[in-house]
């Protein structure tokens, strides 16, 4: 088995970033772990404590109250008050410096935007909006909506659902097309904190590879990409590696 030290590959990563013309980031739950938001899989992951069924569309329609009890606890209670960490800030700084063109995230926590990133494609939607299952109206999330569950539409009183993708739900075609286009344009993809196992999102970086992109991966543990898709694997926490890279990239720029 291969072993990795945190600094392994860091100079190779720096060179890849400096040489790239179009960089896209692809992020998963691991980038937000150090902001206090639990991941689904892995050690202390949410699936150790919850049944993934609470996020199935079928269960939501059959038991909206119970589904919302789980959703509020799993997501909203963890997201409220969460702040972006150094890894989110690093990607925002890269974009501001003209070094990063886009972020495609599987996350629904809004932390990339909170860090100042602008071109963010939320592949799985967002927790910051609630969509009416009756009339389709989309409302901005407000804490008061969750005081009484399930939350209801102000217009037609039907049940509101978080505007993120549940199990059994399709990805919007428009979002998928934009994400795939970004991937096909990238000559470097920086993947941070994802197992690479959630379909069909996990296929996106492969799209970049088809177009000869270099893949740089940051993760505390090897993922489905490590040793197969990734050209460079930086093993360590997202904040630790991001701080290290930021130091090398921006030390001469300020
Ligand atoms: P995952 O939960 O399946 O896996 C998390 C990955 O992050 C693992 O590979 C793990 O090794 C890595 N990781 C954990 N802590 C890390 C750290 N500090 N630094 C770097 N890497 C770290 O996540 P996933 O693959 O993104 O898929 C789960 C699905 O659930 C996605 O669709 C995601 O959107 C959703 N989800 C989102 C949030 C959120 O919005 N913050 C939270 C949980 C799950
Ligand atoms: Zn409505």
């Amino acid at each position: 088995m291969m072993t990795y030290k945190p600094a392994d590959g860091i100079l190779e990563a720096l060179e890849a970033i400096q040489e790239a013309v179009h960089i896209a980031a692809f992020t998963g739950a691991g980038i937000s772990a150090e902001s206090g938001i639990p991941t689904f899989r892995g050690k202390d992951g949410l699936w150790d404590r919850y049944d993934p069924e609470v996020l199935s569309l079928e269960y939501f329609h059959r038991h909206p109250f119970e589904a919302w009890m789980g959703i509020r606890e799993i997501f909203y209670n963890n997201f409220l008050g969460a702040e972006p960490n150094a890894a989110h800030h690093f990607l925002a700084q890269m974009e501001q410096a003209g070094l990063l063109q886009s972020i495609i995230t599987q996350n629904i926590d809004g932390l990339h935007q909170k860090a100042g990133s602008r071109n963010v494609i939320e592949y799985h939607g967002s927790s910051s909006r609630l969509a009416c299952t009756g009339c389709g109206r989309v409302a901005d999330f407000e804490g008061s909506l969750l005081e009484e569950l399930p939350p209801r539409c102000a217009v037609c009183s039907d049940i509101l659902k978080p505007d993120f993708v549940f199990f059994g739900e399709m990805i919007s075609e428009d979002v998928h097309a934009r994400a795939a286009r970004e991937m096909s344009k990238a000559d470097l993809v920086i993947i941070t904190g994802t197992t690479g196992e959630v379909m069909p999102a996990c296929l996106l970086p492969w799209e970049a590879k088809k177009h000869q992109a270099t893949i740089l991966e940051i993760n505390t543990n090897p993922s489905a990409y490590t040793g197969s898709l990734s050209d460079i694997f930086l093993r360590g926490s997202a904040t630790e590696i991001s701080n290290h890279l930021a130091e090398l990239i921006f030390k001469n720029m300020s």
Side-chain angles (χ1 to χ4, degrees):
M1 221 181 75
M2 302 226 351
T3 54
Y4 300 91
K5 295 190 295 298
D8 280 352
I10 201 97
L11 292 178
E12 205 187 330
L14 177 68
E15 200 177 317
I17 290 170
Q18 285 167 338
E19 280 176 5
V21 175
H22 193 108
I23 306 182
F26 181 64
T27 64
I31 197 170
S32 297
E34 291 164 274
S35 292
I37 299 177
T39 60
F40 277 169
R41 292 167 185 74
K43 197 174 158 290
D44 302 326
L46 289 166
W47 293 157
D48 286 348
R49 286 182 283 138
Y50 294 96
D51 185 339
E53 196 191 20
V54 298
L55 287 186
S56 84
L57 206 52
E58 208 213 328
Y59 184 79
F60 183 84
H61 288 307
R62 266 191 297 127
H63 304 287
F65 174 76
E66 288 79 2
W68 258 111
M69 286 289 283
I71 291 164
R72 181 170 66 183
E73 195 179 329
I74 294 174
F75 294 109
Y76 290 93
N77 291 353
N78 284 315
F79 291 173
L80 291 173
E83 292 296 330
N85 63 48
H88 301 101
H89 287 300
F90 168 62
L91 294 179
Q93 199 184 357
M94 288 274 287
E95 185 185 40
Q96 245 164 36
L99 296 173
L100 179 94
Q101 276 59 49
S102 56
I103 297 175
I104 293 121
T105 188
Q106 298 169 83
N107 296 342
I108 54 172
D109 55 29
L111 291 185
H112 284 301
Q113 290 90 334
K114 216 169 172 184
S117 288
R118 287 166 176 276
N119 192 15
V120 182
I121 299 175
E122 294 176 303
Y123 196 75
H124 289 149
S126 170
S127 60
S128 63
R129 297 179 302 267
L130 302 183
C132 176
T133 53
C135 70
R137 181 173 177 267
V138 176
D140 284 338
F141 172 78
E142 281 171 47
S144 60
L145 284 168
L146 301 192
E147 280 165 13
E148 203 179 312
L149 297 182
R152 291 192 176 268
C153 176
V155 177
C156 75
S157 301
D158 223 323
I159 292 170
L160 296 173
K161 174 190 166 293
D163 201 12
F164 57 70
V165 177
F166 278 33
F167 295 124
E169 217 175 352
M170 300 291 283
I171 306 291
S172 124
E173 271 179 40
D174 168 59
V175 168
H176 174 76
R178 285 196 290 133
R181 204 177 316 126
E182 271 308 314
M183 283 291 162
S184 65
K185 282 195 284 189
D187 58 354
L188 175 67
V189 178
I190 303 176
I191 302 180
T192 307
T194 177
T195 49
E197 289 173 11
V198 177
M199 285 288 278
C202 64
L203 300 177
L204 287 167
W206 292 95
E207 185 65 28
K209 191 70 165 186
K210 250 195 328 205
H211 293 81
Q212 279 76 47
T214 299
I215 310 292
L216 161 59
E217 183 187 9
I218 301 168
N219 201 312
T220 43
N221 290 298
S223 74
Y225 299 131
T226 320
S228 54
L229 177 79
S230 304
D231 298 290
I232 307 165
F233 178 57
L234 300 180
R235 184 167 194 170
S237 86
T239 62
E240 172 195 19
I241 303 280
S242 298
N243 280 332
H244 199 156
L245 284 172
E247 210 178 287
L248 293 171
I249 295 167
F250 298 113
K251 72 176 174 200
N252 296 322
M253 284 180 77
S254 51

